[in-house]
Amino acid sequence: MKRLTIFSLTCLFSMGAVFAQQGVTQCGVPTGQPKFPLLTYQELPDPTAPSDKEWAAVTSTQVSWGTTDIRYAKHQLPQLKKQQTVSLKGWRGERVNAQAVVWTGVELKDLNFSFGDFKDKKGNVLPKDAFTGGFVRYVMTDELNKDGRGACGHRKSVDYDSLLVADPIDTNLKTMALPARTVQPVWVQCWIPQSATPGTYRGELLINDGSRLLQRLNLEITVSPRELPQPSEWAYHLDLWQSPYAVARYYQVPLWSQEHFDAMRPLMKMLADAGQKIITATLTYKPWNGQTEDYFDTMVTWMKRADGTWAFDYTIFDRWVEFMMSVGIDKQINCYSMVPWELSFQYYDQATNSLQFVKTAPGEAAYEEMWGAMLASFSKHLKEKGWFDICAIAMDERPMEVMQKTLKVIRKADPDFKVSLAGNYHAEIEPELYDYCIVIGQDFPEEVRLRRVAENKRTNYYTCCTEAHPNTFTFSEPAEAAWMSYYSSKKQLDGYLRWAYNSWPLEPLLDSRFRSWAGGDTYLVYPGARSCIRFERLIEGIQAHEKIHILRQEFEKKGNKAGLKKIEKMLAPFHLGSMPEIPAAVTVNRANQILNSF
Amino acid sequence: MKRLTIFSLTCLFSMGAVFAQQGVTQCGVPTGQPKFPLLTYQELPDPTAPSDKEWAAVTSTQVSWGTTDIRYAKHQLPQLKKQQTVSLKGWRGERVNAQAVVWTGVELKDLNFSFGDFKDKKGNVLPKDAFTGGFVRYVMTDELNKDGRGACGHRKSVDYDSLLVADPIDTNLKTMALPARTVQPVWVQCWIPQSATPGTYRGELLINDGSRLLQRLNLEITVSPRELPQPSEWAYHLDLWQSPYAVARYYQVPLWSQEHFDAMRPLMKMLADAGQKIITATLTYKPWNGQTEDYFDTMVTWMKRADGTWAFDYTIFDRWVEFMMSVGIDKQINCYSMVPWELSFQYYDQATNSLQFVKTAPGEAAYEEMWGAMLASFSKHLKEKGWFDICAIAMDERPMEVMQKTLKVIRKADPDFKVSLAGNYHAEIEPELYDYCIVIGQDFPEEVRLRRVAENKRTNYYTCCTEAHPNTFTFSEPAEAAWMSYYSSKKQLDGYLRWAYNSWPLEPLLDSRFRSWAGGDTYLVYPGARSCIRFERLIEGIQAHEKIHILRQEFEKKGNKAGLKKIEKMLAPFHLGSMPEIPAAVTVNRANQILNSF
């Protein structure tokens, strides 16, 4: 394998400028195409060239089933045993995935694929629209920190490996031209209808070059009599934070315009279909100090009138919440942040006709004055809207004293406000927190967890850049995305939180790297409402969590101790520290097999 | 007379920076004292030093009555015939002025003055509080444009003479220290009570150094049986535009705070006492493109909501109008401007949480959309407040087509809106204008003027930097300020407009020059609510206009044609072009004498 040293492909830290209409990635790499592509785009050149030695024997086009556990490299001969049939198992209502791999020694002008009919022996049929296929695309990434311990901290990409990895799944593209010595995976998904008759369905994936059949691949789908509800009915507490701001910028549409909502709709529908329950709302300008490519702004308009009184307007907040509810995400609204990272609060100052800041901290009179006014108004507004009971004032980890003072201000404004926190475990304030999400490495005391269940509170964990494994970087092992929800099941938690559903870097389709963290840290889906290997495997884990939840309820109801024991045994191998020595795929696939045996 | 060449005293065009707490004037001259002085201050050094020859014979201190027509230079031996008695005539309710002059060959440590009792032969008394005295202070100025034709256009003060002239009247100061070879005028005013018994009152002005009497000056005041009403009752349409923004900056108080209103109250009370009828209000950001040291901002808050609708808030507007009404200025509100000099309209954009601009002109859809919404809202608000009938949408001169399109938008929003214009005479739109103020050099056709009187419309003229004479620059002949209202009387107009009551340059007490126009163009009163020679002479003219108005009404009612003829004859010499050949003082004093003979 030859390594090309293309300097221009290394991420030149925070250049970020967009020259005219030509795209440039976050790392300053010219994309060679107009900025912010949507329907079609060209991937960045692969820093790794095909090896003559490897490819010499490949004089034709090869097709085989691969595995969803592997990101097949673009110019590396796939190390796989050719396999013509793949068997998948799933519940009714579940999504199951497979990955086919095409690699070719010769140029292909018009690679395309289609599905045959899927029937069981009794003649039952899985409908065509249950099947989706997409070309897996390649995106630039980097790697973990050099010490292997996570991926946090500002980074110059010249210090890191530049790697083109398989991740986005492009269902827009019906055909692809492949140069010789190229690998092209095809992602296949069957969303088993809830109405499907249990049984084993057999069908084909046809891989063609133009109208010429290259290969038939057999796909068997065994449908269990068990049923997974619609995602909106899942118990799973999925909290991936949404960035409407990144969408407006990438799609180049005015914020909160109809075009903006139109652009967000398919993207947020994907999120709803993954089981998302929480609407991410912002109460302040830059709650996270503008750490993302597109900073978060306030959805509540703060105006200090010339007579010294505060006026609040909820037009944006209402439109955003109503929009999210219209796509099916309607269980909870998390509002950031009374304790932003920079304790400086922006408002429109009527007297001076300008945007001003108040620097104030919980415990100070100015803080209590402004937040007291805001929360009183907000509580009233939420009650008018009927949203008070699903709304939580959301905090990120802050020093204990700060959080306690903040809670005091909240309680004074309205003792019934729900509060959420993503942070460390703190016994002192735990009883105050309706939605408490702690770092993956920490534990809720079991009696606390049980009490929280009894109190109908949400109890979760999160990952971010800190964890080397499991994680969802664009270079992470795909199964790690699924691993995380099994782990949540093992811990008997409600679900999972990650801070970034779509905080896109400058050119997310081309280069997943960002100035502060490893590639892919800031997003799980791509523009054009493109899913990816990471996101599909994440959904796989969420489905497993939901299935385990259903089985546990059933077994408990029926007193099926053997069943419950089998589940615990199945989940036992999910322990932090097992990866990367034991790949996530090994643990996940073994568990999945057991899970599908129930 | 020796001329010092002090470079630092020339106005270094638009330096404008304020270094730390040390003052620097508009022209970059360090003031040698903290910036923005209020209670006391030091004048800038006089560029003209005393002449040894002139002053050699002056070995003591001299005191005499002077005239209010002369700005006595600070270091030039006054050319006056010593006069120990001055006689003034006035109506009950009128203010009359005199000027005493002190010049000294020796240092005076504690110059001060006091008034004796004022009695007539029958023993009637004018009360103490009818008398005010103030030291006349010196301020830096420049001169007309080099061609003598007005004073418009950006100017580098190095191109102009720097002159220290007598203008501010400092009633704060009870005592002054005078170096040898210094001139110090004292301004004296008697505001004759309306309750005064007609007759001739005699009293004294005592000029002292410490407790040592330097001179007794006799003052005779002959009070006419005629009565001038309170300024608020005057028919005179005085329209000097107020800048609350300059006050906030100079007094270093937050805009629209209680301290701000406290600072403005005495200043605006002076304006009310001068007969001001109009509140200057702004509807937009920078209606005059920020041409003044402190730009005018909008008093109406414009918010474009994220749903595309407009929201307006009138908190500032209401507070300002209510404040002005509380000081007695309550007859009319002129609102600027639908046609600002830069056709760019600022608003707070809720969607992007930022201040944005729409560039649009009358006739365009965007213009009609935003102004249609604004005027509909404004009309409703004004009616709620009971102010609709006294409010005028105010324009400055713009191309005819633009003004016609603007009027169309106004009429569409509310056909009853009053409109005002300060500009050229245009027969096409004259009928639309409630308050029409034209350039001094132009004329209203007589039939138009008469029709406007019948329709109870306001008809006036204005001066600005264009006119060399009459004008109210700090170097203008004092009587020109009075001349202007006699001219208005002659033209049978309602009054007078000038665009700047207090658009102060950086250090208005010290340096009246400004980057764009001749010294004093931008203001008529000084910080600390200090009046000045120009403003007192302006009031003198306004009083004359009011007296003429009263006499004309009386003579018309009584059919006194001889009286009316005498008035017209008295006013005949007031014609443009008479100055400077015939000084304004000559014309004004002759007319004043006649006026007081009625």
Side-chain angles (χ1 to χ4, degrees), chain A residues 255-256 285 295 297-298 301-303 305-307 313-316 319 346 348 350-355, chain B residues 245 255-256 285 295 297-298 301-303 305-307 313-316 319 346 348 350-355:
Chain A
L255 261 169
W256 313 118
Y285 170 76
Y295 67 81
D297 210 326
T298 180
T301 303
W302 295 64
M303 177 164 89
R305 283 226 189 79
D307 61 10
D313 184 284
Y314 301 98
T315 305
I316 297 173
R319 283 165 74 83
Q346 194 203 48
Y348 170 77
Q350 185 179 45
T352 56
N353 185 29
S354 61
L355 290 156
Chain B
Y245 303 96
L255 261 169
W256 313 118
Y285 170 76
Y295 67 81
D297 209 326
T298 181
T301 303
W302 295 64
M303 177 165 89
R305 282 227 191 77
D307 61 9
D313 185 283
Y314 301 98
T315 305
I316 298 173
R319 283 164 74 84
Q346 194 203 50
Y348 171 77
Q350 185 178 46
T352 56
N353 186 29
S354 61
L355 290 157

Side-chain angles (χ1 to χ4, degrees), chain A residues 9-20:
Chain A
L9 286 177
T10 59
C11 191
L12 302 171
F13 172 69
S14 108
M15 276 184 57
V18 177
F19 305 111

